[in-house]
Amino acid sequence: MAPLSTQCQGNTKSIRRSRIAAPGEKEMKANTQPNCGPTAAAHIIGQSVESVMAGFKSTFNHGSSWKGRTNWTRLCKYLSQAGVKSKAAPTGGSLNTWVQNQTTKEGVYLVRVGDHFLAVKGRKIFDNHAENCDPANHWCKSKRVSHAVKIGAK
């Protein structure tokens, strides 16, 4: 395994502070919240992680102690209710190989590897651990892609 400095992980300042988070909004710290699903959704729909988490709480009646854990069905339902069109994409193989073989340079995808959700945009990984990360350097690079949808597909 490569040292942490060469992998895309743990940058607590990068979790959508500049583009998605509203001014004055509190940051979500990477690696401390089980909020990969809402974070992937935020990257896809261009909203803050906090607003997506508030939307999840409202849509699925989560209590105030909910930290962000979700499942594939709820994540897809939330995106659909937000007006996001998607179509099933091929699955299988490691994340790194899947990105190389199954994605397009301009494509946007929602992916599940193990118990982790992430967004793939322009063949780069976006999740609650990293942004704009090359899949070969991501900590999930060898995990199998079990679920995937292409965003914006009809």
Side-chain angles (χ1 to χ4, degrees):
M1 179 182 251
L4 291 178
S5 60
T6 62
Q7 289 188 343
C8 301
Q9 32 179 345
N11 184 351
T12 60
K13 298 289 184 196
S14 70
I15 306 305
R16 289 310 195 198
R17 183 68 181 152
S18 59
R19 190 171 71 77
I20 290 184
E25 195 171 45
K26 125 181 141 173
E27 278 183 54
M28 292 281 188
K29 298 225 188 275
N31 301 321
T32 62
Q33 299 288 329
N35 65 341
C36 57
T39 302
H43 283 283
I44 289 168
I45 61 180
Q47 293 181 359
S48 71
V49 173
E50 283 187 342
S51 68
V52 170
M53 287 187 64
F56 264 82
K57 283 182 181 181
S58 172
T59 301
F60 302 111
N61 298 317
H62 292 301
S64 60
S65 63
W66 180 70
K67 302 285 188 236
R69 182 170 293 280
T70 192
N71 61 42
W72 183 257
T73 302
R74 286 188 172 184
L75 186 54
C76 290
K77 181 178 179 180
Y78 182 81
L79 288 171
S80 179
Q81 288 178 346
V84 174
K85 303 268 190 236
S86 63
K87 180 180 177 184
T91 59
S94 70
L95 176 63
N96 187 33
T97 303
W98 184 85
V99 170
Q100 292 172 14
N101 297 334
Q102 302 295 338
T103 66
T104 61
K105 190 168 184 162
E106 53 284 327
V108 177
Y109 303 83
L110 174 64
V111 178
R112 180 177 176 180
V113 289
D115 287 334
H116 187 61
F117 299 108
L118 48 90
V120 177
K121 296 164 53 175
R123 294 190 169 148
K124 299 290 184 178
I125 307 296
F126 295 80
D127 66 3
N128 59 332
H129 298 275
E131 291 184 357
N132 206 27
C133 179
D134 188 297
N137 296 328
H138 194 271
W139 68 275
C140 284
K141 67 184 174 188
S142 61
K143 288 192 172 196
R144 181 181 172 274
V145 174
S146 61
H147 299 75
V149 292
K150 183 170 185 178
I151 303 300
K154 294 180 181 178

